[in-house]
Amino acid sequence: MNTATLKSSATKSNNLLKPTNLMLAGLVVVLIAPMVAPTYTVTLLNYIGLYALVVLGLVLLTGVGGMTSFGQAAFVGLGAYSTAYLTTTQQLPEWLAFTAGSPWAGLAMGLLLTAAVALFLGAVTLKLSGHYLPLGTIAWGISLYYLFGTMSSMGGHTGVSGLPSLSIFGIELDKGEKIYYLIWAVLAVAILITRNLLNSREGRAIRALKGGQLMAESMGVNTFRSKMVIFLISAIFAAISGWLYAHTQRFVNPTPFGLHMGIDYLFMALIGGVGSVWGALLGAGVLTMLKQWLQDLLPMILGSDGQYETIVFGLLIVVMMQRWPGGLMGLLAKLVPAKYRDHSDLTLNDDAAELPRRELPKAGDLVLEACDVTRKFGGLVANNQMNLQLHAGEILALIGPNGAGKSTMFNQLSSVDTPTEGEVKFMGQSLKGKSSREVAQMGMSRTFQHVKLLPTMTVLENVALGAHMRGSKGVVPAALHLEREEEQRLLKEAKHQLERVGLGDFLYEEAGSLALGQQRILEIARALCADPCVLLLDEPAAGLRFKEKKALADLLTKLRGEGMAILLVEHDMDFVMGLVDRIVVMEFGTKIAEGLPEEIQTNPAVLEAYLGGAE
Amino acid sequence: MNFQIALILGQDGITNGAIYALLALSILLVFTVTRILLIPLGEFVTFGALTMAAIQMGKAPALEWLLLALTLIDCGMDLYQYRHKLDGRKFQTIGLKLGYVIAMIALIQTLPLAELPMVFQALLTLALMVPLGPLMYRLFFQPLADAPALVLLIVSIAVHVAMVGVGLLLFGPEGARTEPFTDTVFRVGPMMLKSQTLWVIMVSVILIVTLFLLFERTLYGKALRATAVNRTGARLLGISPVFAGKATFALAAFIGTLSGILIAPITTLYFDSGFIISLKGFVGAIIGGLISYPLAAVGAVAVGLIEAFSMFWASTYKEIIVFTLIIPFLIWRSMTSHHVEDDE
C-alpha cells in the first residue's frame, strides 16, 4: 500500500472509529445485551461490570498515580459485608435501628468504613517510598480475610445468606437481567467521573505523581493529598462494587475477598492496560472470559483438577510487563495515529476571564537573600558562607566553573535543601523548615537543570500544572466538571504563557516530543504560569540555538521590566554578559567575586578560576 | 498460662522466628541488590520441603522436570541472544548447564532415594533447588533490570502466582512432613528441648554468621554490597549487574530451600503455604525499614514469638495480630520521613 491510500484509509476508519461513535455503539450493545443474551452470559456480564468497577480504581491508582494496592478485594469485602450485616441481622444495635435494615444504609456504612480504613492506611504508607503501600495493603487484605472468617456473627467461613434484593423507584432488582442495568449504569458513571477528574486541575496534579513528584511540589501541588485522593477513590469504587455484588448474589462469604482476588484485580488492570479508563473494562472482560475458558481446558490437558489457570495468568503478566507494559489498551491505542487523537477535553475559550495577578514588589526591593549559607555533605563543604541578594526588577547570574557549588546553592535558595548553617530569606521571611511547596506559594518559581516534565502529557497541560496554585476547585467539582470556568481560565493562562515564550504552535504536542531546548523554554512558561515574583532558572540557555537564545534574552528583559526578580545559573557567558545586571561568581563553594558584568570580565580572581593561574 | 507453657511457646516462637529471620535477611539482600521484593521466596521454602519429602518417600521429585524445562528455555534464550557472536566459551557454558541438569536427573532416577542418609537427601534437594534461583532471575527479571520498582513488584507477584500453580501441578494438593534430623529430646531444668528446634536455631545462626562473613570479608560479597549501594557506580567498576542479580537469587533460593528443609519436620507444608511464610519474613523486613539487617532479624524473631503467644491467647486472630504488627512501624516511619522523592 502506498502512503496516499494508507492516509485515506486511516481517515476513513477514523471517522468511523471516532471515540464518540465507538462509545455510542458500546452503549447500544450494553443496553441490548440482557434482552438477547442467555442468563449465563448476563451473569458473566454482571461479574465483568462489578470487576471493572474495582479495576477502574486500580487504573487510577497504578496507571495514573504509579502506586499499587493488593487490598482492593478487601475493600470490596468491606462494602459487601457492611450491607450483609445491616440487612440480615435480627437485632440491630439501637443506634443503628433507624436504618431499618435498608440496603442504602448498608451502602452508607460500607462507604464510611472503607473511607476510614483507606484514610488510615494511606496516612501510614503514602508518605513513605513506593513499596510500603503495596506491602501494607497485602497485610490489610490478609487480615480482613481472616477477620471475616473468624467472626461468628458473620457466619464465619460459611458466610451470610438471605440478603434482600435492591429496589429502585419501586422496581425490584431481583434478577440478574435487572440488576445488570444498575451495575453498568454505576460503572458508566464511575468511568465518566474518572475521566472528568483526570481532565482537570486536580487531575493534572494526580497525573504528575508518576515520575514528577519533585516538580509538582515545586509547582505548589500537595502530592501527599493527591495520592490520598486516588487511593480513597479506588477504595470507594471497590466498596460500591462490593455492595452491588452482595445484593446481586444475595449471599456473601470470605472467599471472593481474599488476597488472591486482590491480585486478580491487579492482573485485570495490567492486562487491560493501566494507561486508560477503558483498559479497566477490557481487562476485566478478557481475564474473566479467559479464566472460564482455562478452567475448562487446563484440567483436561493436565489430567487433574486444580487452579492451573494461575500459571497461565502469572506468565502472561510477566510477558506483558516485559513486552507490552501498556497492556491490551496500549496495543490498541497504537493503531490510532497520533494526529487523530481526541483533544476535545482541552478546548480553549479565549473569552475566559484572566486569572488575578499577584502584586509584584516595587523595583529595587530586596526579595531574596542568602545570609552566610553553608551546606556541608559530610566532610565536603559545598557552600561556604555564601551571601547574595536579589532585588525586584533585576537579573542576577550565578556563575562558576563545574563543581563550584552553584546547584547546591540553587537548592538552598529554592528550599529543596536546607542549609547546615545560615539562612535564606524570601520576602523578609526565613525559609527554614519550609517545604518547596510552601515556597512556591510564597511566589518563587523555578526551572530544573535536568528538565522535569511529564512527557506523555500535552505541552498545554504541562504548563497549566504551573498554575495549580491559582485555582481552588477541588476533587468533587472536578469529577462533576463543575469547575469548567476556572479550568478555562487556567488553560487560557497556560496558552498565554506558551505564546509568550514562543511555543504557541505546540499546544497539543506531547511534551516529550519537543527538542531539549524547547523543553527548557516550556519549563519557563510553566514557572511563569505560577505568577511568581522571583524566577529561579537553572541553565535556561543550555541546548538553545542562537535565535532561541536571543528570544529568551528578550523575554527575560521584558520580565525584568515588569518588576520580576530573576536569578539564573548559567554557563553560556555570551548569553549572561549581554543580559544580566549583576553577577556572582563562585568557586569551591565560596563567592570569589560579585559585580557588574564588565567588572567580572576583568576581575583577576575570576580569570584565574576560569583560565587557571600563571604558574 | 504457667511457666511450662510459656517455655513451650517461647521455644516454638524462636524456632519459627529463626526461619522468618533467615527469610527476612534474604528478602533484604535481594531487595537492596536488585530492587526486587522477592515475594516468591516462600515458594522456595515449600518446594524445598516438598522435594525433600518426596525424596524421603523414595519418589523422584517432579521438580527435576521444572529444572530441565527452565534450563532448556534459558539455554535457548542464550543461543538466541548471542546468535551472532557464538564462540567456544558460550557453548561450554551451555554444555555445562545442560550437563548439570542431566546429571541431576540421572542421579535422581538411579539413586535409592529413600535409603540415602539424610544429609545427602538434603544436599540433593539443595542441588535441585538452588539453580532455580538464577534461572528465575534470568528468565523473569533480567529483561526488566531497569524497569520501575513498581513493575518489578508486579512481576514478582506474577511469578509467585505462577509458581503456586506449578507447585500444585508438581506436588499435588497433599501436604507433607519430613522426618526430623534427629529424634533426641533434651531436658534442661523444667524445659523439654526438641532436637529439631536446636537444629533450626543452630543452622540459622551459622548461616547468619556465614552471610555476615561473606559480605564483610570476601570480594564477591563486597561486590554485591557495592551493587546494593550504587548500581551504576558498581557497573562502572566492572561489577556485572546480571552477575549480582543471579548471585543474590541463588543465595535466596539456597536460604529458602534450607528453611524449607529445616521446618518440614515441624510443620506440615502444602504447595501454597509459602506465601504466608514469606510474608512473615516481609513483616520482619519492614520492621527493619527494608534497609537494616540486624533490625530485620530481631523483628522477624519478634514476629515468631508474637505468633506463638497469640496462638495461645487468641488462636483465631493469630494471622491478624501478626500482620497488624507492621502498623506501629509504618506510623513511626511516616512520622519521621519528610522528603518527597521521584520514584525511578
Side-chain angles (χ1 to χ4, degrees), chain A residues 17 22 272 278-279 282 326-337 341:
Chain A
L17 289 173
L22 279 179
W278 301 111
L282 194 63
L328 291 176
M329 209 56 209
L331 288 174
L332 286 179
K334 276 189 194 148
L335 299 177
V336 184
R341 275 174 216 159

Side-chain angles (χ1 to χ4, degrees), chain A residues 62 66-68 70 120-121 123-132 134-136 138-140 142-144 146-147 150-151 208-215 217 223 259 263 266-267 270 302 304-308 310-315 317-318 321-322 325 452, chain B residues 31 35-37 39 77 138-144 149-151 153-155 157-169 275-276 279 282 285-286 288-290 316-317 319-321 323-324 326-327 329-331 333-335 337-343:
Chain A
T62 308
M67 303 178 286
T68 205
F70 294 102
F120 176 74
L121 272 179
V124 299
T125 56
L126 291 178
K127 275 191 186 151
L128 303 174
S129 71
H131 286 104
Y132 286 95
L135 289 176
I138 287 180
W140 142 249
I142 291 186
S143 302
L144 194 75
Y146 281 108
L147 191 65
T150 52
M151 286 194 302
L209 289 176
K210 203 172 173 180
Q213 292 188 28
L214 204 69
M215 176 272 288
E217 283 277 333
T223 52
L259 191 60
I263 295 175
L266 185 64
F267 283 5
L270 294 167
L302 299 171
S304 65
D305 279 334
Q307 297 186 321
Y308 298 119
T310 60
I311 306 178
V312 179
F313 288 162
L315 295 179
I317 291 291
V318 174
M321 289 290 101
Q322 290 185 357
K452 286 186 192 293
Chain B
F31 179 68
R35 299 180 301 136
I36 298 165
L37 289 175
I39 311 273
M77 282 170 82
R138 166 73 184 93
L139 298 181
F140 304 128
F141 295 101
Q142 191 180 315
L144 290 165
L150 180 66
V151 171
L153 173 66
I154 288 166
V155 170
I157 284 275
V159 171
H160 150 75
V161 167
M163 275 185 80
V164 172
V166 170
L168 176 61
L169 192 61
F275 192 38
I276 274 287
L279 282 183
F282 269 99
I286 290 176
L290 293 176
T316 40
Y317 296 103
E319 310 291 355
I320 304 172
I321 292 172
F323 286 110
T324 39
I326 60 169
I327 287 174
F329 291 92
L330 291 177
I331 293 177
R333 287 201 179 275
S334 338
M335 307 256 275
S337 133
H338 295 294
H339 61 288
V340 175
E341 59 188 55
D342 282 335
D343 290 330

Side-chain angles (χ1 to χ4, degrees), chain A residues 556-610:
Chain A
L556 296 183
T557 313
K558 195 159 162 268
L559 289 171
R560 167 173 60 189
E562 290 168 13
M564 183 95 67
I566 301 171
L567 179 124
L568 39 103
V569 170
E570 193 43 83
H571 271 300
D572 188 326
M573 288 306 145
D574 288 340
F575 179 74
V576 168
M577 292 302 169
L579 171 71
V580 308
D581 301 298
R582 281 189 312 126
I583 295 178
V584 170
V585 190
M586 285 181 77
E587 195 192 13
F588 300 126
T590 343
K591 180 160 80 174
I592 56 168
E594 177 169 4
L596 302 173
E598 308 82 74
E599 293 167 8
I600 295 298
Q601 276 170 315
T602 51
N603 184 314
V606 176
L607 289 177
E608 188 176 320
Y610 270 89

Side-chain angles (χ1 to χ4, degrees), chain B residues 29-340:
Chain B
L29 179 70
V30 173
F31 179 68
T32 47
V33 175
T34 62
R35 299 180 301 136
I36 298 165
L37 289 175
L38 191 61
I39 311 273
L41 183 62
E43 274 63 62
F44 288 119
V45 178
T46 45
F47 282 26
L50 294 170
T51 302
M52 183 78 176
I55 289 177
Q56 288 191 346
M57 284 188 287
K59 281 195 294 192
L63 194 77
E64 56 184 341
W65 305 120
L66 178 68
L67 181 62
L68 178 67
L70 291 183
T71 309
L72 285 177
I73 299 174
D74 172 51
C75 292
M77 282 170 82
D78 275 359
L79 281 176
Y80 180 76
Q81 191 180 345
Y82 298 113
R83 62 194 177 284
H84 300 302
K85 40 180 177 178
L86 278 172
D87 53 22
R89 264 192 68 196
K90 296 267 152 34
F91 280 117
Q92 208 179 349
T93 323
I94 292 174
L96 274 177
K97 283 185 200 166
L98 286 175
Y100 177 83
V101 175
I102 291 166
M104 288 310 301
I105 294 177
L107 274 180
I108 285 173
Q109 298 294 343
T110 52
L111 283 176
L113 294 171
E115 283 93 65
L116 287 175
M118 204 175 287
V119 184
F120 287 107
Q121 292 176 335
L123 284 177
L124 203 56
T125 307
L126 284 169
L128 276 172
M129 287 289 304
V130 173
L132 291 182
L135 281 170
M136 183 191 276
Y137 181 78
R138 166 73 184 93
L139 298 181
F140 304 128
F141 295 101
Q142 191 180 315
L144 290 165
D146 296 319
L150 180 66
V151 171
L152 294 177
L153 173 66
I154 288 166
V155 170
S156 180
I157 284 275
V159 171
H160 150 75
V161 167
M163 275 185 80
V164 172
V166 170
L168 176 61
L169 192 61
L170 294 183
F171 303 106
E174 300 85 22
R177 209 167 176 148
T178 58
E179 305 285 317
F181 295 1
T182 47
D183 282 327
T184 347
V185 176
F186 302 98
R187 272 175 202 283
V188 183
M191 192 162 44
M192 302 267 281
L193 268 182
K194 278 176 272 170
S195 57
Q196 187 66 29
T197 308
L198 289 181
W199 274 108
V200 173
I201 296 171
M202 200 172 68
V203 174
S204 305
V205 170
I206 292 176
L207 211 54
I208 290 172
V209 172
T210 320
L211 278 178
F212 176 76
L213 291 178
L214 185 76
F215 280 90
E216 290 296 321
R217 298 289 145 83
T218 69
L219 192 60
Y220 279 116
K222 284 178 183 166
L224 288 187
R225 265 172 63 205
T227 317
V229 174
N230 187 332
R231 288 162 52 79
T232 320
R235 193 186 301 196
L236 290 175
L237 290 175
I239 300 165
S240 145
V242 171
F243 162 76
K246 284 184 178 170
T248 39
F249 267 66
L251 212 52
F254 175 77
I255 296 176
T257 310
L258 199 61
S259 308
I261 296 174
L262 284 171
I263 51 165
I266 306 175
T267 350
T268 309
L269 289 177
Y270 298 85
F271 71 98
D272 59 353
S273 314
F275 192 38
I276 274 287
I277 298 178
S278 71
L279 282 183
K280 286 174 187 159
F282 269 99
V283 174
I286 290 176
I287 292 174
L290 293 176
I291 296 173
S292 159
Y293 288 80
L295 266 184
V298 172
V301 174
V303 170
L305 281 171
I306 290 171
E307 183 187 26
F309 281 93
S310 51
M311 195 110 86
F312 180 78
W313 275 307
S315 66
T316 40
Y317 296 103
K318 182 185 83 168
E319 310 291 355
I320 304 172
I321 292 172
V322 169
F323 286 110
T324 39
L325 256 187
I326 60 169
I327 287 174
F329 291 92
L330 291 177
I331 293 177
W332 175 60
R333 287 201 179 275
S334 338
M335 307 256 275
T336 50
S337 133
H338 295 294
H339 61 288
V340 175

